[in-house]
Amino acid sequence: MATARRERYRKQTREEAKVVALAQLAEAGTAGISVNAIAKAMGMTGPALYRYFANRDELLTELITDAYRELAEAASRAVADAAPADRFRALARALRDWAKQHPDRYLLIYGTPVPGYQAPPETTEIAARLMRTILDACATVGAAAAPGSGTTGSGADGAGGEGAGGGCGQSLTPLEAELARHLEGAGPWVPGEEPGGELKGRALRTWTRLHGVISLDLQGHFTDMGFDPSVLFEAEIDALVRGG
């Protein structure tokens, strides 16, 4: 009984610390996260809070892992609720919706790296869940080949041989060539069945292009332009669906 009570208190204390840390993140970015300041806000001493988090990096890891997990869950729910033909669009919009609702947390995982912080393996593992959802959604929008590659199919057979694209006798585009080089020595992107190179190429373009619009929007780069970034975002979705 006493052990269970201590565990509940420990969990509650850690969760409260994370709430305070997120408030610091929203106010001053990652540089503003301080274990001692969090302890003070909670009515504790710094050394007392260090019994719950060994250092700032452990706290950051918790925040990053939570953000990745929630974003991956939001994406998975959106894809699961959509008809197969609509899954790619549902995924893309779910990523943007979550980012707009949690801008500071999105930029924590996709913004400027935290100086001196080295993400442990568990953050990579949870990030792979999101990439798995992106790959699965990309497989529903037709040929996963780059324009001009001359390939079709969802990429299930592109991991070796010709590499990222380009059939026999065809020259590779620069992106295809770089992806083929990457695939020769890269480890698995996601757990389970490893997707082929063509599908990885489409997922890579999807991730970078959607993330680019979302990040510019969150950081206010469209504000002074008087431009609606949601229109650009939808145009990017359309282009990716067409394979462009």
Side-chain angles (χ1 to χ4, degrees):
M1 181 68 72
T3 300
R5 186 163 52 247
R6 284 196 298 270
E7 278 302 311
R8 285 197 302 271
Y9 180 74
R10 177 179 177 79
K11 183 177 180 180
Q12 291 168 358
T13 301
R14 286 172 64 89
E15 291 300 318
E16 183 180 353
K18 288 194 288 185
V19 170
V20 176
L22 288 174
Q24 292 181 343
L25 178 68
E27 183 176 346
T30 55
I33 296 179
S34 162
V35 174
N36 286 330
I38 292 170
K40 183 177 180 180
M42 295 173 61
M44 302 173 64
T45 65
L49 188 55
Y50 277 112
R51 293 202 296 268
Y52 299 90
F53 292 98
N55 48 46
R56 187 202 65 158
D57 283 2
E58 183 181 334
L59 176 55
L60 278 174
T61 296
E62 286 275 330
L63 299 180
I64 291 169
T65 302
D66 286 351
Y68 268 130
R69 181 181 296 109
E70 290 184 25
L71 179 56
E73 289 173 352
S76 295
R77 284 195 303 271
V79 170
D81 292 342
D86 299 326
R87 285 173 183 167
F88 184 84
R89 294 180 186 277
L91 165 78
R93 290 165 182 160
L95 295 178
R96 184 173 188 266
D97 288 347
W98 192 90
K100 295 289 282 185
Q101 294 167 15
H102 309 281
D104 302 303
R105 300 177 70 196
Y106 186 89
L107 292 175
L108 175 64
I109 56 179
Y110 288 127
T112 304
V114 180
Y117 175 77
Q118 183 65 43
E122 55 261 36
T123 60
T124 303
E125 292 167 6
I126 194 68
R129 281 184 54 194
L130 179 58
M131 182 53 71
R132 174 83 268 176
T133 303
I134 293 174
L135 285 160
D136 290 345
C138 285
T140 68
V141 293
S149 69
T151 57
T152 57
S154 64
D157 58 353
E162 294 297 327
C168 181
Q170 294 178 320
S171 61
L172 300 180
T173 68
L175 176 59
E176 289 169 347
E178 173 59 20
L179 188 57
R181 183 202 62 77
H182 161 74
L183 291 175
E184 288 179 0
W189 277 24
V190 293
E193 182 180 353
E194 186 69 359
E198 294 172 13
L199 184 54
K200 284 183 174 180
R202 178 176 287 272
L204 183 63
R205 291 192 298 276
T206 295
W207 183 69
T208 54
R209 288 168 66 172
L210 297 184
H211 166 64
V213 178
I214 292 171
S215 296
L216 288 170
D217 185 9
L218 294 183
Q219 295 177 32
H221 293 291
F222 295 110
T223 303
D224 293 337
M225 297 172 62
F227 182 82
D228 184 357
S230 65
V231 177
L232 176 60
F233 191 77
E234 290 295 322
E236 286 294 288
I237 295 175
D238 290 341
L240 288 163
V241 167
R242 292 193 304 269

